[in-house]
């Protein structure tokens, strides 16, 4: 039962253009969403998060959008840079009483930004 | 400051042997999580520690897996009688408290031959 899905295994964009990575979830109890970036042989690095009380959160070149009715979130990177080439994981958590904060991850999307 | 560290970085073991994986969380972080990433998959939750509370072991795949956290700091994940399907990257993460962003270590790549 895949509660968090990233349906695009890979994405290739040109340097300077926008990268849009998508994520869908099925569990309506999720109320906190995060994006992580992972380089080979390294652990995931936290990028940006959003609470379910918001529909947008921005941090520099990174913006996350949340559509609760569609159970969909996306990460926009503008402008994309070659150093952004990595695997991007979407993760979700339920922060209600009794929960542990464990993250449920999607399968990841490999982003390649071409110079 | 120092991040999350894990050792060893790589471990090759024969089927049936026991292995121990170590995690040193960020100092002061009370929440500690173990995940594993199998080839081509996302990260899968294994176990969670928070202070002196009972751990959440709901993600452990079998009773061959166990973990402990001593003194609220270092954690050890033990896999007994390893199987080939245990081959994966085992990642540890720590957080100031539950529900905050988690900071990951570099992982231990376990290969069971």
């Amino acid at each position: 039962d895949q509660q968090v899905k990233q349906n695009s295994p890979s994405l290739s964009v040109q340097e300077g253009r926008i990268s849009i990575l998508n994520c869908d979830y099925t569990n309506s109890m999720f109320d906190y969403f995060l994006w992580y970036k992972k380089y080979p042989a390294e652990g995931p690095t936290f990028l940006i998060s959003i609470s379910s009380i918001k529909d947008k959160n921005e941090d520099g070149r990174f913006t996350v959008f949340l559509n609760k009715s569609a159970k969909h979130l996306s990460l926009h990177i503008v402008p994309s840079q070659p150093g952004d080439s990595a695997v991007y994981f979407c993760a979700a958590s339920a922060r209600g009483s009794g929960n542990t904060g464990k993250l449920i991850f999607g399968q990841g999307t490999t982003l390649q930004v071409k110079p | 400051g120092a991040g999350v560290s894990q050792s060893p970085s790589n471990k090759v073991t024969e089927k049936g042997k026991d292995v121990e994986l170590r995690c040193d969380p960020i100092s002061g972080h009370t929440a500690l999580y173990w995940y594993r990433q199998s080839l081509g998959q996302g990260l899968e939750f294994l176990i969670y520690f928070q202070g002196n509370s009972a751990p959440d072991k709901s993600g452990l795949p079998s009773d061959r897996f166990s973990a402990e956290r001593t003194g609220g700091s270092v954690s050890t994940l033990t896999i007994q009688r390893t199987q080939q399907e245990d081959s994966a990257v085992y990642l540890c993460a720590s957080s100031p408290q539950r529900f905050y962003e988690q900071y990951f270590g570099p992982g231990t790549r376990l290969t069971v031959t």
Side-chain angles (χ1 to χ4, degrees), chain B residues 6-64:
Chain B
Q6 292 186 244
S7 61
S9 54
N10 280 285
K11 176 72 177 179
V12 180
T13 190
E14 292 181 353
K15 178 182 172 181
K17 301 277 187 172
D18 297 352
V19 295
E20 278 191 359
L21 312 179
R22 177 188 168 104
C23 171
D24 281 273
I26 293 172
S27 177
H29 281 193
T30 60
L32 187 148
Y33 302 81
W34 282 95
Y35 296 85
R36 74 174 175 181
Q37 183 182 16
S38 302
L39 190 63
Q41 301 297 311
L43 282 73
E44 171 192 8
F45 167 78
L46 296 176
I47 189 168
Y48 157 78
F49 295 93
Q50 171 70 51
N52 295 320
S53 302
D56 175 8
K57 305 179 182 180
S58 61
L60 295 178
S62 79
D63 58 8
R64 296 185 297 104

Side-chain angles (χ1 to χ4, degrees), chain A:
Chain A
D1 177 24
Q2 193 76 28
Q3 298 185 67
V4 178
K5 297 180 183 179
Q6 294 175 256
N7 291 317
S8 298
S10 63
L11 174 67
S12 181
V13 300
Q14 207 65 34
E15 180 179 6
R17 307 295 289 267
I18 184 171
S19 295
I20 300 177
L21 297 99
N22 293 301
C23 178
D24 297 293
Y25 62 97
T26 58
N27 190 338
S28 57
M29 299 302 291
F30 290 149
D31 57 2
Y32 186 51
F33 304 89
L34 309 90
W35 284 93
Y36 281 82
K37 172 180 176 180
K38 187 179 184 301
Y39 293 118
E42 295 183 11
T45 302
F46 169 74
L47 267 180
I48 192 169
S49 63
I50 188 166
S51 165
S52 59
I53 62 174
K54 294 186 174 182
D55 53 19
K56 176 183 175 181
N57 189 25
E58 199 170 348
D59 183 1
R61 296 186 298 113
F62 301 92
T63 303
V64 56
F65 295 91
L66 175 63
N67 182 333
K68 290 187 292 292
S69 61
K71 294 190 175 67
H72 177 84
L73 63 155
S74 60
L75 175 68
H76 293 210
I77 307 174
V78 182
S80 301
Q81 300 172 354
D84 296 330
S85 298
V87 179
Y88 288 78
F89 289 98
C90 168
S93 177
R95 296 193 291 181
S97 175
N99 289 311
T100 62
K102 69 183 181 186
L103 298 177
I104 308 300
F105 283 84
Q107 309 96 307
T109 296
T110 301
L111 173 66
Q112 182 185 28
V113 181
K114 297 179 179 178

